[in-house]
């Protein structure tokens, strides 16, 4: 019995140390010193104890009650007086230590560049249209005026799936057909961003997966001068007001005439440097007037409607803008690269 009383005392005193406010203190009191607590009950039931043991047990229980009452008063006094900070000193927590910084996420540089491109085109009245990444050969090639076995297919090395005629899109241009068919014969101005896939040798300039942003404008009386003016305006908004552009004749089966647009190298201002390979110019996109066969496939009457289209590579644009010398950094998941943007 004496041992049981000692256990009550040890437990109560240790729990008392952990009380931190009025509420925990009140709970402690009701557990250890209220009428129903084991200690007080043992005093009340002394008559059940053998008469010869009664004096010693009674005396011991009373002493413990006094100790607990005294400790309770002290703890009440301490909690009342001490401020939060003096109380913390009695725990392991050092609130004077500087806090641990939380890692902040950020947008990938490709996403940042894409969003900048979206904003510019949206400001110029173009809607964003999403098209699918898994395409049919028909949409990726045939309806874009690239028949089976046509040598132009060599420009787009293709990933094929197990399903015949189903491929990963090699460019965003099949989105032109989707957008035209969804809107013909109404005029349209859309951009079609998204991931493209090519079965290519990976090099510092070429990846097997990369983003493109396609653009398409269809209406009546749209001319090559509209294409030149619109794309030059884009380049100035993207790279700065004084950016100069030039158009070089090129070939794409789905546009006629076709061109590639260069911007004046903004690293050397046209003087010639390593990045522009001493030419003073940087290629940023392919473009042209939509081929009449493609207009027909999209549901537009080519005698009545004309349009222009373009396709640019946001990673290549970001490489030029930020002096990134290797496209493989984009998908390498190296935080030392990603944290720079
Ligand atoms: C095309 O894919 C045409 N569909 C673009 C076009 C659209 C022309 C509409 C006319 C009208 P090209 O293969 O050149 O063209 O690719 C366009 C851009 O995608 C390139 O300028 C480049 O920025 C980017 N690109 C192409 N291949 C890769 C690659 N392997 N890695 C990274 N970027 C690439």
């Amino acid at each position: 019995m004496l041992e049981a009383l000692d256990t009550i005392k040890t437990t109560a005193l240790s729990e008392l140390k952990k009380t931190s406010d009025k509420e925990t203190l009140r709970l402690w009191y009701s557990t250890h010193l209220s009428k129903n607590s084991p200690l007080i009950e043992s005093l009340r039931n002394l008559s059940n104890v053998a008469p010869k043991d009664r004096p010693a047990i009674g005396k011991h229980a009373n002493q413990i009650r006094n100790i607990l009452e005294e400790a309770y008063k002290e703890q009440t006094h301490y909690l009342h007086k001490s401020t939060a900070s003096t109380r913390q000193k009695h725990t392991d927590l050092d609130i004077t230590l500087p806090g641990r910084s939380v890692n902040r996420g950020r947008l990938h540089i490709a996403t940042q560049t894409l969003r900048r491109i979206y904003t510019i085109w949206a400001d110029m009245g173009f809607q964003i249209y999403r098209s699918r990444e898994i395409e049919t050969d028909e949409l990726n090639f045939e309806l874009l005026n690239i028949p089976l076995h046509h040598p132009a297919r060599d420009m787009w090395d293709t990933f094929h799936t197990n399903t015949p005629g189903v491929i990963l899109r090699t460019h965003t241009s099949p989105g032109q057909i989707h957008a035209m068919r969804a809107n013909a014969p109404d005029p349209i101005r859309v951009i079609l961003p998204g991931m493209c896939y090519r079965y290519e040798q990976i090099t510092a300039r070429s990846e097997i997966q990369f983003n493109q942003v396609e653009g398409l404008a269809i209406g009546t009386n749209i001319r090559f001068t509209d294409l030149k003016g619109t794309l030059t305006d884009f380049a100035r908004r993207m790279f700065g007001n004084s950016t100069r552009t030039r158009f070089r004749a090129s070939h794409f089966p789905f546009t006629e005439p076709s061109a590639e647009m260069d911007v004046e190298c903004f690293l050397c201002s046209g003087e010639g440097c390593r990045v522009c390979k001493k030419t003073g110019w940087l290629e940023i996109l392919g473009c042209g007037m939509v081929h009449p066969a493609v207009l027909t496939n999209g549901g537009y009457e080519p005698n009545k409607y004309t349009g222009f289209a373009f396709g640019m590579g946001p990673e290549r644009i970001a490489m030029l803008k930020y002096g990134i010398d290797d496209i493989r950094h984009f998908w390498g998941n190296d935080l030392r690269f990603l944290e720079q943007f």
Side-chain angles (χ1 to χ4, degrees), residues 155-156 170-173 176 198 200 205-212 214-215 252 254-255 259-260 283-288 309-317 327:
M155 286 161 74
W156 294 280
T170 56
H171 52 171
T172 41
S173 298
Q176 287 188 32
R198 289 189 196 175
E200 280 188 1
R205 277 180 57 75
S206 299
E207 257 291 358
I208 56 169
Q209 66 166 76
F210 53 94
N211 283 291
Q212 274 192 354
E214 188 86 5
F252 296 102
F254 33 90
T255 47
E260 278 176 329
E283 181 226 310
I284 66 158
L285 54 85
C287 57
F310 57 86
M312 61 182 78
E315 285 90 23
R316 292 250 180 99
I317 289 180
I327 199 169

Side-chain angles (χ1 to χ4, degrees), residues 12 14 30 75 83 115 158 160 163 183 191 222 239 241 293-294:
S14 119
S30 96
Q75 182 71 353
T83 59
R115 290 198 180 178
T158 310
H160 295 268
T163 312
N183 291 283
I191 58 162
I222 294 187
F239 301 109
N241 262 342
V294 177

Side-chain angles (χ1 to χ4, degrees), residues 67-87:
I67 290 170
L68 293 189
E69 289 281 4
E70 200 51 41
Y72 170 75
K73 269 191 223 154
E74 270 180 31
Q75 182 71 353
T76 309
H77 182 68
Y78 164 70
L79 285 180
H80 183 67
K81 282 269 167 140
S82 63
T83 59
S85 60
T86 53
R87 235 176 283 155

